[in-house]
Structure formats: C-alpha cells, structure tokens
Amino acid sequence: MTLPQIQIARAHWLLGALFLALILEEYLPRGRRSGPARSRSLVVPWALIIGGVGVWATTVFADIVHDMIVHTLWGDILFAAGSLELARRRGVYERWWLDIVLPLAYVSCGMLFLVHNLIDPAGVGQNWHSAMGLLLMAAGLLELLRLARGRAPAVPISLLPLAGFALVLIAIPVAAAS
Amino acid sequence: MTRGLSQSRLLVAVALIAGGVVWALVRGLDFYGMAPAHVGYDLDQPPLLLVLVGAWLVYRSRRR
C-alpha cells in the first residue's frame, strides 16, 4: 500500500507543525526566570516520541527502499531522544550527557537529510533536502557550542534555524501537493 | 527588555496566527466536510496549522 502525494504532504505538514510547537515550547522563555537550559516541559519528549512514531510509519507506507531506511532511522533517533528526555525531565535519570541529547538529535537527523540525497541523487527536492539538513545541523552545532560555553541566553540563536526547518517542512510539500 | 522576553511567546504566537490568516487569505482553504474522518483533513492544512500552533503558544504562555 502506498500513499497518494496529498497524504504524504499532510503527514509532512503535521510533523512540521508538531516540530514547530516542540521547539517553541523548548526554547522560548515562559517567564522572567525561566530559560531554555532549565526546561522541564514534558510536552517536548512526548512530541519527539509522537513524531518518531509518525516518521517511522513511513516504513509501512513508503514504496522506495531508501525512503524506508532513512525514515526508519529518523524515527529511531526521535524515539531515543524523546525517551531520554522523558526520563531526564521526570527526574528518574540524571546524567551530564543528557544535555546534549537534543543537539545530537538535530545534527544526526540533519545528516540523514544529506544521506537521503546521497543515496538518491536523482530524487526530487534535492536542494530543499540539503537546506533542511544544513538547518538542522547548524541548529545542533549552535546548541552544542552554547552548552560548551556554559551560556544560557533567554532565547538561543539555534531557534532561528530550527524554526526555519519547521516552516520549510510545513511549506514545501504544499507545492508538491498542489 | 525583560518584559519583552517574558512576552516573547505571546509575540511569536501573534506572528504565527497573523501569518496563518494571511496565508489562508492568499492560498485559500479546502473544506472536506464535518464528518469525524474529514475534520482531520479540514484542520491539517498549513495555514490552519500555523494558527493552531499560535493558539497553543498563547495557551502555554498564560498557564502560569
């Protein structure tokens, strides 16, 4: 069973909106005292897990093998990141390296966009895939840099490439579906 | 500055809702019907999703 283009676009719109809500929840300050480094919102890990399940479902519906593989790996990364974040935010698992879970998830998901291009060089939307991958990788690297420097700005600069990625994910399939 | 940061969620929410409304006016929206199976299609359109994310952000900015 394969899905028509409009259904694929709808799935991308939904995942883009979910990701946009996730990053705004994570990185926009909630009040004068709260910063992104102290976020304990359970919305974020749940959104990651739900997103992981949604992406993983492509394995069932895709008819191109590299789409199946890459989407499965995206789902795995999102599910693992969501599970670790859920454990940290519930306070049942505290390790220093949990701070880099989200940045590493961004970087690795971004790299998979580039891998997607490499294994399917004739595929449509190569430039957009590259742009989305680079946006995610830039966001992850900016977050890693922020953590390494020990700074916690009220609104991290990585929010810009992350928001760009989410908006591209929402907007680009519009052209494909119309 | 501090006041602006504390209201950043609200500002971004307003921008998203305004963007969604403009997008809907420019592109138009499709109506699939009010049956439960079709309501999902009605809501799952980019302009409406932007408005929904904006509304979610307004809700999250007012909870505490």
Side-chain angles (χ1 to χ4, degrees), chain A:
Chain A
M1 175 186 176
T2 57
L3 291 176
Q5 190 66 41
I6 181 65
Q7 301 289 29
I8 295 170
R10 283 185 177 126
H12 283 86
W13 297 337
L14 209 52
L15 286 171
L18 186 69
F19 189 76
L20 185 61
L22 182 161
I23 58 168
L24 294 176
E25 169 74 14
E26 178 70 4
Y27 295 115
L28 282 181
R30 297 193 66 178
R32 292 176 185 178
R33 292 182 182 178
S34 64
R38 297 186 179 188
S39 172
R40 290 270 171 183
S41 170
L42 292 178
V43 171
V44 173
W46 278 117
L48 285 168
I49 290 170
I50 292 168
V53 171
V55 174
W56 185 85
T58 304
T59 310
V60 178
F61 296 112
D63 59 346
I64 303 172
V65 69
H66 67 256
D67 270 344
M68 297 167 75
I69 293 170
V70 171
H71 280 81
T72 303
L73 293 175
W74 271 324
D76 292 341
I77 292 169
L78 293 176
F79 207 95
S83 304
L84 288 169
E85 282 292 323
L86 189 61
R88 180 179 75 82
R89 289 163 198 245
R90 280 179 174 167
V92 297
Y93 193 60
E94 298 281 358
R95 296 291 186 277
W96 66 267
W97 53 265
L98 288 176
D99 286 343
I100 62 172
V101 164
L102 279 181
L104 284 185
Y106 300 148
V107 171
S108 49
C109 283
M111 288 173 70
L112 279 175
F113 272 95
L114 303 185
V115 170
H116 191 287
N117 277 352
L118 284 176
I119 61 179
D120 183 29
V124 294
Q126 289 272 322
N127 292 336
W128 284 114
H129 281 141
S130 297
M132 292 163 82
L134 292 174
L135 282 169
L136 274 183
M137 290 172 68
L141 293 175
L142 284 170
E143 274 299 282
L144 287 173
L145 190 64
R146 179 178 70 80
L147 289 169
R149 295 175 69 181
R151 299 179 65 179
V155 181
I157 191 73
S158 57
L159 185 57
L160 283 177
L162 288 172
F165 169 80
L167 291 174
V168 168
L169 193 55
I170 294 172
I172 295 310
V174 173
S178 58

